Amino acid sequence: MDCRLGCGACCIAPSITTPIPGMPQGKPAGVRCIQLSEDNLCLIFGSSQRPAVCSGFSASVDVCGNTNEQALWLITELEHVTC
């Protein structure tokens, strides 16, 4: 599955514990990444500054569902059950 352009759920719902440009302490779950544009596109996509956890993310129906809203809900739930 390819990421849905403009979704951004993986840049909002999960916590990221590694530094992100502009967020040196990472980001807590539910907080919008500073590198997420208003159009929900990653501003550092393809850059070496992008955290490995972000580069390694692979969209799948199990995680992203069929809509942006499902993706946000599913990733939020995954974050809660893995904390």
Side-chain angles (χ1 to χ4, degrees):
M1 170 180 181
D2 292 326
C3 286
R4 285 184 297 275
L5 287 179
C7 175
C10 60
C11 302
I12 299 168
S15 60
I16 298 176
T17 58
T18 57
I20 302 165
M23 300 179 100
Q25 304 302 314
K27 67 168 226 58
V31 172
R32 185 179 182 85
C33 178
I34 197 167
Q35 296 298 332
L36 189 62
S37 75
E38 289 183 26
D39 296 329
N40 286 345
L41 300 174
C42 179
L43 297 171
I44 56 173
F45 188 85
S47 166
S48 62
Q49 294 181 305
R50 190 171 179 219
V53 68
C54 300
S55 298
F57 178 78
S58 294
S60 70
V61 174
D62 293 348
V63 175
C64 302
N66 295 306
T67 67
N68 297 355
E69 293 77 19
Q70 284 180 346
L72 189 58
W73 184 84
L74 286 166
I75 297 171
T76 298
E77 286 300 306
L78 286 170
E79 178 72 24
H80 287 140
V81 299
T82 58
C83 289

